[in-house]
Amino acid sequence: MMLRHLANIYRLGVKELWSLWRDPMMLFLIGYTFTVAVYTAGTAMPETLHRTPIAIVDEDDSALSQRLIGAFYPPSFTPPVRISQAEVDPGLDAGRYTLVLAIPPDFQRDLLAGRSPALQLNLDATRMSQAFAGSGFAQQIVLGEVAEFLQRQRVVTPSPVELATRVRFNPTLSNTWFGSPMELVNLITMLSIILTGAALIREREHGTVEHLLVMPVTPTEIMLAKIWAMALVVLLASALSLNGVIRGLLQVPIEGSLGLFFCGVTLHLFATTSMGIFMATLARSMPQFGLLMVLVMMPLQMLSGGVTPRESMPAWVQWAMSLAPTTHFTELSQAILYRGAGIDVVWSSFVALALIGSVLFALSLRRFRATIAQLA
């Protein structure tokens, strides 16, 4: 009896794989998300300054002002553009500059006379990352150049306390090391829900569910077939993306055991594919399923700890998200991929994923049986 059930699950799963193979849009979605999307997430939003557009209003035209202009150079900044005071607001409004440094008249003379002249730094705060990092960097450059000009040399005042900074797990503070693995984690969740939900809705729209009802198969076998087939596709695609794009193309080092990580991926896929089937039983069409995906995926991705640390969230949000599989999957992924953690560290996340997956599978199976009964 058990062998017959396993054979049915296997054959139904193969049918799902053939259906996916004949769906070019789904194949394009899988290929795009696990290659271009992962690469883009790792390279498109650098935290460090890179070619930040800057303009300078030089109303002093002195040796010091020329020194300040020369201190802003690529690759952190684009070559500074000299503009007039009347061009500042139009340039910022048009988005041509992120930073505009205004040097007032008689700046050097006032400085040498012991007065405290003021410089004006205008920021385009709509470019949040560049404006935040650029303002601090620009202040350091200006203060350093002014101090060196006054003292004729750059003097570092010794501090009574030495702060030794030790950066672990990402010594260069590269956004690529963080962005690409976290994007892969999010895509594993998204694609597993989409593929299983779309597989069920596709059968309902094509009328093949009725064909399954007359076959000697149970709802449990149908559901398990969809789960293992779609989970296998996502598992293989994530393995190729991790080794080909993240480790190969982006040169991101992976500290932990890939075998342990993909064991966690398998448990997570068990939970998310069950969730996808549950959502597909609620939606009547693919457009409805897409709208439901937006409502579900946004909190799953934003509140799971991959974007913002969970400790900075309200307590009730932390408690609520502890019931979501993405929270525990993000925890174990960061621990294994970044910090090289072993099973002794991530075992609690594995247990939580197994429990949540079992509950989601039971709820999905109950809902799936009710849907099958209505069609019958």
Side-chain angles (χ1 to χ4, degrees), residues 196-206 280 283-286 289:
T196 49
L200 180 57
I201 293 177
R202 183 169 55 239
E203 285 194 342
R204 185 189 303 163
E205 291 178 344
H206 294 171
R284 296 180 178 273
S285 63
M286 281 301 295
F289 181 72

Side-chain angles (χ1 to χ4, degrees), residues 7 22 36 57 69 117 124 126 169 171 174 179 247 256 289 330 332 369:
R22 291 191 292 266
V36 178
V57 179
I69 294 174
D124 180 4
T126 60
F169 314 123
S174 172
R247 300 180 70 191
F289 181 72
T330 300
L332 71 87
R369 283 174 173 169

Side-chain angles (χ1 to χ4, degrees), residues 2 7 33 106 158 305 313 322:
M2 180 60 67
T33 52
D106 301 326
M313 303 178 190
S322 66

Side-chain angles (χ1 to χ4, degrees), residues 17-77:
L17 294 176
W18 278 111
S19 297
L20 179 63
W21 180 254
R22 291 191 292 266
D23 192 336
M25 288 305 299
M26 281 296 178
L27 293 177
F28 173 78
L29 177 65
I30 296 171
Y32 174 84
T33 52
F34 283 104
T35 54
V36 178
V38 172
Y39 180 83
T40 302
T43 57
M45 295 182 63
E47 293 293 333
T48 55
L49 291 179
H50 182 68
R51 296 191 58 79
T52 303
I54 184 172
I56 295 181
V57 179
D58 185 9
E59 296 182 330
D60 188 34
D61 198 19
S62 62
L64 178 56
S65 65
Q66 296 300 316
R67 186 188 188 110
L68 291 176
I69 294 174
F72 296 92
Y73 49 83
S76 297
F77 299 92

